[in-house]
Amino acid sequence: MASNKNKGAKPKNSTPKKKQRSHLFDGKKRPTKKDEVFDDVSDDHSEEEQLETADDLLDGDEEVSDFGDASDISDDEDDDDTPLADDFLQGGDDDEERDSGSTSGSGSDSDESDIEEKSRAIDEQRAREEEDAQAEMQMNIKEESDEFRLPTKEELEAEQQRPPDLANLQMRIKDIVRVLANFKELRQEGATRKEYIEQLKMDLGSYYGYNEFLIGVLVDMFPVVELMELIEAFEKPRPTCIRTNTLRTRRRDLADILSKRGVELDQLSKWSKVGLVVYNSHVPIGATPEYLAGFYYIQGASSFLPVMALAPQEKERVVDMAAAPGGKTTYVAALMKNSGLIFANEIREARLRSLTSNLHRMGVTNTIVCNYDGRELPKVLGQNSVDRVLLDAPCSGTGVITKDPSVKTSKSLDDIQKCAHLQKQLILAAIDMVDANSKSGGYIVYSTCSMMVPENEAVIDYALKRRDVKVVPCGLDFGCPGYIRFREHRFHTSLENTRRFYPHVHNMDGFFVAKLKKMSNAKKNPVGFDGSETVEQTQRPKEIHSDEDNVKELEQPVKKQSMKGKKKSLNKNGLPANGKKVESPPALKNKERGQIGTAESLATSKKRKRKFPCKEEISKVREEKRKAMREKKKEAREYKTGK
């Protein structure tokens, strides 16, 4: 029992010793049994003997561990504590451990140095690869710039027989654009800029689907780099925009309601107080309860601009000459707060239904819808009878190719000229309706969704020459100024106040806006509603003929008229019966218009047209005058030489 107690007490007494030893040799590893054996064995023995003794001792330890008690082992350990501590204090084992540590440390240092060398080698290899790749890229660019050549006629003929290779066309377009951007250094020897431009036109037409006329006009209007940006912008859709109807709600309230319905939107821009742009919508934006209630109108951002330029005031009389489907008309009504009077005219009867339905949906109550040809509106509403006119003229639609890609191939020079002729007639009618003496108005806004110069600047320049108007700023802080000169055309300098909008610059449809101020109700040159040809005919006799010539030329058509017609005309104009005094045709027109108003009968218009001399007669008179002048000069020379 006592032995058992002693054995049981021994571990209790040994614990502080173990703690002390662990405290003394904290940073050092406790030697194993095998290391102790190797320390006790002398150096004279061979390695084999050391191994044998170590194995024997280990076998003995195993037997002890198997059959002995744990207390015996602890006793042995306690007995061995003193010499072990002495050995460590003497430093004999430390030297060996240092040697082993130095060898292991040198091995780790060598490993670290190997890893560093490998990482350096990898970094150097990567750097070399990057340098090689950069050099190869530069070489490829140089080779491409040097090797690019315009295709020959044979190659072009072979391409026409095969289906179009879009990848090849795209690469060639990029190469031509790159060469034209730095033409002096990259051009092919002997090749002119015109040849590159012609090839670019052909490739753009084939790749993007434009006809020869339209792509030629665009190439003439824009630099090559900007042209590519414009054409790429035409291939992408414009953002969806909505306009808040201020007659029904406010923009902030509308945005909150639509965002709750899952519509992702934001304010359009700083220049618009009612516009919102829609990025994404989980519901159809044209079928929400708010849309049906008239809280907003789906409208392109470019359509805001003409109404903002018009800036209608309350209690004014305003005319929208081409109103359908009603986006601009409802905006005008909202700005006027349903006061005053709006005449919404539309020539196509089929579009009147959409116009009236939108007016009712948006809560507009101050608008009269009419169905007339815009050129006849001065006869219907009266001249000098309204304060402002908005003319969003029918055009070729070359600014909205994104919405209607058929414009790429359907438009030609004849279409542009027909549109321009109609637009000139419409703008003269619009100017005639506006009252120059209006206290708050006297303005005309002309806009098109076209990019063609004949439909925009040329029309405004025509109006400046035919009526007493001037171009004033549109009130829009952004936009590109209109052309003053384009190729061989020269326009009035005030056309800088007009504004052009492009898809690649302003991210909206191509648009043109001009604002005119009517200075007086008098006309510079009397013009009929038939167009510019009549204008030229009425002006030529004034410039060329004297009063006596007019009398002689008008005698023959007057004789052909009946005596009854002669008496009526003489009585109306207050002329004597001998017919010595004859007024010029413009004066007759002005007096008759003042008496019978704007409506003219066909018979009287035919008679007046007969009075005008034809072009052949005018040319004959010119030749006679030239001959007379030559004869006078000849006589004067002979007289001088005779003296």
Side-chain angles (χ1 to χ4, degrees):
M1 291 290 292
S3 64
N4 290 336
K5 284 179 184 178
N6 294 331
K7 286 180 182 178
K10 244 181 186 179
K12 290 179 183 178
N13 298 330
S14 64
T15 46
K17 289 182 182 180
K18 286 182 181 179
K19 284 182 182 178
Q20 187 178 359
R21 281 181 297 174
S22 64
H23 178 68
L24 287 170
F25 309 108
D26 243 354
K28 295 185 180 180
K29 188 178 177 183
R30 190 166 183 267
T32 61
K33 186 70 73 175
K34 193 170 183 179
D35 295 331
E36 291 176 5
V37 171
F38 278 93
D39 291 335
D40 294 334
V41 178
S42 62
D43 296 330
D44 298 328
H45 296 287
S46 63
E47 291 181 2
E48 293 178 358
E49 290 175 354
Q50 290 177 0
L51 289 171
E52 286 176 1
T53 55
D55 293 332
D56 293 338
L57 287 171
L58 288 171
D59 292 336
D61 290 339
E62 287 176 359
E63 289 176 0
V64 170
S65 64
D66 292 336
F67 300 104
D69 202 356
S71 60
D72 297 334
I73 298 168
S74 64
D75 292 337
D76 295 337
E77 288 177 357
D78 293 337
D79 295 334
D80 295 338
D81 281 339
T82 306
L84 184 64
D86 294 337
D87 291 339
F88 273 106
L89 290 171
Q90 288 171 3
D93 293 338
D94 289 341
D95 297 335
E96 292 179 1
E97 284 185 359
R98 279 195 204 99
D99 296 338
S100 63
S102 62
T103 55
S104 63
S106 62
S108 63
D109 292 340
S110 64
D111 292 341
E112 289 177 1
S113 62
D114 292 342
I115 291 169
E116 289 178 358
E117 288 177 0
K118 288 180 180 177
S119 64
R120 287 196 200 101
I122 291 169
D123 292 339
E124 290 175 359
Q125 186 177 358
R126 285 180 182 173
R128 283 196 300 271
E129 288 177 356
E130 289 178 359
E131 289 176 0
D132 294 341
Q134 191 72 17
E136 186 177 358
M137 186 174 68
Q138 295 292 337
M139 187 174 64
N140 290 338
I141 292 171
K142 190 175 180 181
E143 286 178 358
E144 285 179 2
S145 62
D146 292 337
E147 290 182 359
F148 177 71
R149 295 288 183 273
L150 289 172
T152 60
K153 292 182 180 179
E154 292 78 9
E155 292 174 352
L156 292 175
E157 290 175 358
E159 283 183 7
Q160 290 176 358
Q161 294 176 359
R162 297 192 303 267
D165 187 359
L166 298 180
N168 185 26
L169 284 173
Q170 189 178 18
M171 285 297 298
R172 192 158 65 199
I173 289 169
K174 290 181 179 178
D175 289 334
I176 294 174
V177 170
R178 180 171 49 80
V179 170
L180 290 173
N182 191 7
F183 188 70
K184 290 183 179 179
E185 297 180 3
L186 302 179
R187 72 188 184 97
Q188 179 182 344
E189 292 184 3
T192 61
R193 181 180 287 272
K194 185 177 180 181
E195 294 175 359
Y196 281 97
I197 297 263
E198 291 297 327
Q199 186 61 46
L200 181 63
K201 288 180 184 179
M202 292 173 58
D203 293 343
L204 288 175
S206 302
Y207 189 80
Y208 292 100
Y210 287 85
N211 61 13
E212 186 178 354
F213 163 73
L214 188 56
I215 198 65
V217 173
L218 294 177
V219 168
D220 293 339
M221 288 180 66
F222 298 97
V224 179
V225 178
E226 190 177 358
L227 172 67
M228 294 306 302
E229 294 175 359
L230 174 68
I231 292 176
E232 289 293 338
F234 277 143
E235 300 300 314
K236 300 173 185 176
R238 304 274 76 77
T240 302
C241 299
I242 60 176
R243 176 179 55 80
T244 308
N245 183 15
T246 54
L247 297 175
R248 303 267 195 200
T249 184
R250 295 184 302 173
R251 182 169 69 172
R252 183 185 300 174
D253 299 336
L254 177 63
D256 293 339
I257 294 170
L258 291 178
S259 60
K260 290 177 183 177
R261 294 192 181 277
V263 181
E264 299 175 8
L265 45 78
D266 196 3
Q267 295 182 6
L268 177 59
S269 186
K270 294 180 180 179
W271 53 265
S272 176
K273 296 180 180 179
V274 294
L276 291 168
V277 57
V278 178
Y279 298 113
N280 190 18
S281 177
H282 300 290
V283 294
I285 200 69
T288 61
E290 289 75 25
Y291 176 81
L292 299 174
F295 283 17
Y296 63 90
Y297 191 96
I298 302 173
Q299 191 172 21
S302 57
S303 297
F304 290 34
L305 306 174
V307 181
M308 293 174 64
L310 185 67
Q313 306 298 314
E314 296 181 26
K315 298 180 182 180
E316 285 187 339
R317 290 166 61 91
V318 180
V319 177
D320 188 357
M321 295 183 69
K328 298 179 182 66
T329 307
T330 54
Y331 194 6
V332 171
L335 292 176
M336 295 173 65
K337 299 179 181 178
N338 261 341
S339 65
L341 185 61
I342 301 173
F343 295 97
N345 180 67
E346 176 56 41
I347 189 172
R348 297 181 185 177
E349 189 175 354
R351 303 185 71 186
L352 292 176
R353 185 177 297 176
S354 62
L355 174 59
T356 53
S357 64
N358 282 322
L359 291 173
H360 288 304
R361 182 175 65 84
M362 303 293 281
V364 177
T365 58
N366 65 338
T367 301
I368 297 172
V369 179
C370 50
N371 176 220
Y372 290 101
D373 186 347
R375 294 169 288 187
E376 304 296 327
L377 279 178
K379 299 177 183 178
V380 178
L381 302 178
Q383 294 187 355
N384 312 323
S385 59
V386 299
D387 298 305
R388 299 173 194 255
V389 173
L390 174 62
L391 174 57
D392 186 24
C395 61
S396 59
T398 51
V400 289
I401 293 176
T402 303
K403 296 179 181 177
D404 186 12
S406 64
V407 176
K408 294 179 180 180
T409 56
S410 61
K411 300 304 175 183
S412 63
L413 180 60
D414 293 338
D415 297 326
I416 304 300
Q417 290 176 347
K418 288 177 183 177
C419 288
H421 182 68
L422 175 61
Q423 289 157 358
K424 290 175 182 177
Q425 294 175 338
L426 288 172
I427 197 170
L428 293 181
I431 294 169
D432 291 340
M433 280 189 290
V434 173
D435 184 11
N437 300 320
S438 173
K439 294 180 180 179
S440 60
Y443 294 100
I444 305 99
V445 169
Y446 174 83
S447 63
T448 65
C449 56
S450 172
M451 301 175 67
M452 301 291 105
V453 174
E455 295 182 80
N456 297 326
E457 285 86 355
V459 174
I460 301 299
D461 191 66
Y462 174 84
L464 292 175
K465 293 176 181 177
R466 297 299 189 273
R467 294 291 186 270
D468 190 10
V469 293
K470 69 174 183 178
V471 182
V472 295
C474 297
L476 303 172
D477 298 334
F478 64 106
C480 303
Y483 288 103
I484 295 176
R485 56 180 64 87
F486 176 72
R487 297 179 69 82
E488 70 274 9
H489 303 288
R490 297 293 179 270
F491 304 117
H492 197 273
T493 54
S494 62
L495 263 72
E496 283 186 346
N497 292 324
T498 62
R499 286 290 174 266
R500 281 177 164 267
F501 302 91
Y502 299 117
H504 65 290
V505 178
H506 308 101
N507 198 20
M508 60 177 68
D509 293 328
F511 227 75
F512 175 82
V513 180
K515 188 174 184 179
L516 302 174
K517 168 70 175 173
K518 190 172 182 180
M519 304 308 295
S520 67
N521 293 326
K523 299 176 183 178
K524 284 185 178 179
N525 297 315
V527 182
F529 293 105
D530 297 334
S532 58
E533 292 180 1
T534 310
V535 174
E536 292 174 357
Q537 288 180 355
T538 56
Q539 293 305 314
R540 280 175 182 168
K542 260 192 172 182
E543 295 172 358
I544 297 167
H545 301 296
S546 62
D547 293 336
E548 294 179 1
D549 294 332
N550 285 332
V551 172
K552 290 179 182 178
E553 289 171 1
L554 292 172
E555 276 179 358
Q556 292 180 356
V558 169
K559 284 180 183 178
K560 289 181 181 178
Q561 292 178 354
S562 62
M563 292 298 294
K564 206 174 193 179
K566 277 186 182 181
K567 286 178 183 178
K568 283 182 181 179
S569 61
L570 290 173
N571 291 331
K572 279 182 183 178
N573 296 314
L575 297 176
N578 53 13
K580 287 183 180 179
K581 293 182 180 180
V582 180
E583 290 186 20
S584 61
L588 288 172
K589 273 194 174 181
N590 289 334
K591 285 193 174 183
E592 288 174 4
R593 279 187 186 172
Q595 290 172 358
I596 61 175
T598 56
E600 294 178 355
S601 63
L602 293 172
T604 53
S605 61
K606 284 180 181 178
K607 288 177 182 177
R608 287 189 201 107
K609 285 183 180 178
R610 288 174 191 164
K611 293 177 183 178
F612 294 115
C614 62
K615 293 180 181 180
E616 295 178 356
E617 294 176 356
I618 293 171
S619 60
K620 286 179 182 179
V621 172
R622 284 178 178 173
E623 288 295 330
E624 290 175 359
K625 284 189 173 183
R626 287 170 186 167
K627 287 179 181 179
M629 292 289 291
R630 288 169 189 165
E631 289 177 359
K632 287 180 181 179
K633 288 179 181 179
K634 195 175 181 181
E635 290 176 358
R637 287 172 187 170
E638 290 177 355
Y639 180 74
K640 287 179 181 179
T641 54
K643 280 186 175 181

